[in-house]
Amino acid sequence: MTQEHPNEDLWERHAGWWQDQCTDGADPEYAELIVPLAAELLAGYDRVLDVGAGEGQLSRLADEQGASLVVGVDPTKAQLSKAAQRAGGPVYVRASAEALPLASGSFDAAVACLVFEHIEAMDTAVAEASRTLRDGGRFLLFLNHPLLQTPDSGWIDDHVLDPPEQYWRIGAYLRESVMIEEVQKDVFLPFVHRPLSRYVNALLDAGLAIDRMLEPAPPSGFLAAAPEYPQAESIPRLLVLVCRK
């Protein structure tokens, strides 16, 4: 989303929620799954761009792994203020993903973690990330799973059947939609649903080839908080596309 987008006020308003609930080890999906996976996939890359860096947890990770240059970009002032407080290694820039104020070909790797499903001009943002990469550079796209986490997806306890069954309902997958989602009581954030093909084609159009696709199972910390759903380990919440320019 651009800095002029009215939904950006929601990110400013709820930045504290994100910092308290999803960073610094507070969230098991980040602590047990996303951060370790990002560490593995970014290892050995020297100049790293973090698109939609938020308060900088993946920027700090890249810096701690020895990258000589780490730039975190985010449009939200409250997030970048917290990022600056938490670490001095990365450089932070306030800008939108659709207009990165960075030189072409200046990074070895770029990561966008749970960001592009909140950006309406996704094709432009993908093209901008690709532009900043050198030839052969790596792009990591972490997404809420576009198929299995569609709007209105969720567990169904079907007591009509005998014996009763529990299964995962998939929402309107092919219908692109823009909504304001209540992620927690009184915390509203913008969310854009689009099918996986939209992401794949945007990547290909931007000159990014997909090397690997990962669908990791939810981590044990998340599963421990959902004991009422014994099959939750079979439904991935995350999709990771590992791309190469």
Side-chain angles (χ1 to χ4, degrees):
M1 88 193 55
T2 63
Q3 287 181 290
E4 294 76 24
H5 197 294
N7 286 340
E8 187 183 341
D9 291 341
L10 293 174
W11 288 105
E12 292 286 6
R13 189 181 312 161
H14 300 302
W17 167 82
W18 174 262
Q19 293 156 11
D20 293 340
Q21 300 297 318
C22 301
T23 72
D24 213 18
D27 180 76
E29 283 191 286
Y30 264 93
E32 299 175 21
L33 178 60
I34 293 174
V35 171
L37 188 55
E40 175 186 344
L41 295 172
L42 288 173
Y45 288 89
D46 186 52
R47 296 169 298 163
V48 177
L49 170 64
D50 185 3
V51 181
E55 55 70 66
Q57 62 182 328
L58 294 190
S59 298
R60 294 190 297 275
L61 169 70
D63 179 70
E64 291 162 4
Q65 291 196 148
S68 67
L69 173 66
V70 180
V71 177
V73 176
D74 199 276
T76 308
K77 183 178 180 181
Q79 296 282 32
L80 295 183
S81 295
K82 179 62 70 173
Q85 294 173 20
R86 287 185 168 179
V91 175
Y92 294 106
V93 177
R94 189 180 182 198
S96 72
E98 304 96 305
L100 297 172
L102 303 165
S104 298
S106 54
F107 293 94
D108 303 309
V111 56
C113 183
L114 304 184
V115 172
F116 280 24
E117 54 266 74
H118 303 293
I119 296 176
E120 292 186 43
M122 179 270 300
D123 301 81
T124 303
V126 170
E128 274 291 272
S130 177
R131 180 187 62 78
T132 67
L133 287 172
R134 62 167 174 81
D135 288 344
R138 169 169 282 188
F139 179 54
L140 304 177
L141 181 58
F142 287 69
L143 295 167
N144 289 291
H145 201 293
L147 171 61
L148 295 171
Q149 303 299 324
T150 56
D152 299 322
S153 293
W155 288 104
I156 297 296
D157 293 306
D158 192 337
H159 295 283
V160 174
L161 297 175
D162 187 17
E165 287 189 5
Q166 186 180 77
Y167 53 85
W168 185 258
R169 178 185 63 198
I170 295 175
Y173 171 66
L174 289 177
R175 185 182 305 146
E176 295 194 32
S177 59
V178 181
M179 67 199 74
I180 303 298
E181 180 180 4
E182 188 174 21
V183 297
Q184 186 174 297
K185 182 175 169 47
D186 298 326
V187 177
F188 295 88
L189 293 173
F191 182 84
V192 183
H193 167 71
R194 51 181 68 92
L196 177 58
S197 58
R198 286 277 287 110
Y199 290 104
V200 170
N201 291 330
L203 292 166
L204 296 174
D205 289 345
L208 294 164
I210 299 173
D211 285 333
R212 297 170 64 196
M213 184 175 85
L214 308 175
E215 296 174 293
S220 59
F222 174 84
L223 295 174
E228 68 274 25
Y229 298 124
Q231 301 303 316
E233 78 281 355
S234 69
I235 308 296
R237 292 166 51 82
L238 185 69
L239 176 74
V240 183
L241 299 177
V242 183
C243 309
R244 172 177 35 86
K245 183 173 179 181

